Amino acid sequence: IADATARGDILAIAGSDGRPVRLVKSLSPMEVRLVISSAQEDNASDDTGSSSVILGEKNVYIGDLPGLAALGGLGGDSAPPAAVLGMDLLRCATRIVFRAQQNEIYI
């Protein structure tokens, strides 16, 4: 595990309880696309009326982040997929608007 961490194949971050959480790097870069259900301006559209913002091809790290449930809105089996976007992806966006009181982010 130490060798994989040194190569960047495993990312260890502190979990909500202080214990390390291991995230595993994808074998190859993947196109990262955020699907937006309602937007006035977009990079691409599909037949459902949703649009998407393409953030480029990046390696992603996959793993279980137990502390994510503490953020709310992720309860039970019906919880939607969740992700943490790093600064490498967020820098690819042409603009970002974060409205903390409304719990909204626009990319």
Side-chain angles (χ1 to χ4, degrees):
I1 293 177
D3 290 339
T5 302
R7 286 191 311 268
D9 294 334
I10 294 178
L11 177 65
I13 60 173
S16 60
D17 58 359
R19 294 187 302 188
V21 174
R22 290 188 183 109
L23 305 176
V24 180
K25 183 179 177 180
S26 62
L27 294 176
S28 60
M30 306 172 76
E31 180 180 83
V32 177
R33 177 186 300 246
L34 298 177
V35 177
I36 304 163
S37 60
S38 62
Q40 296 176 358
E41 190 175 335
D42 57 46
N43 291 342
S45 292
D46 62 19
D47 294 337
T48 64
S50 64
S51 60
S52 62
V53 175
I54 299 170
L55 297 178
E57 287 202 6
K58 304 285 181 186
N59 282 93
V60 297
Y61 287 84
I62 299 126
D64 183 23
L65 297 172
L68 215 53
L71 298 176
L74 301 175
D77 293 333
S78 63
V84 175
L85 301 178
M87 289 305 297
D88 59 333
L89 285 174
L90 294 176
R91 280 194 299 257
C92 296
T94 56
R95 65 182 176 270
I96 298 174
V97 176
F98 176 60
R99 298 175 61 192
Q101 291 181 338
Q102 290 80 11
N103 199 24
E104 299 173 344
I105 187 167
Y106 298 94
I107 298 177

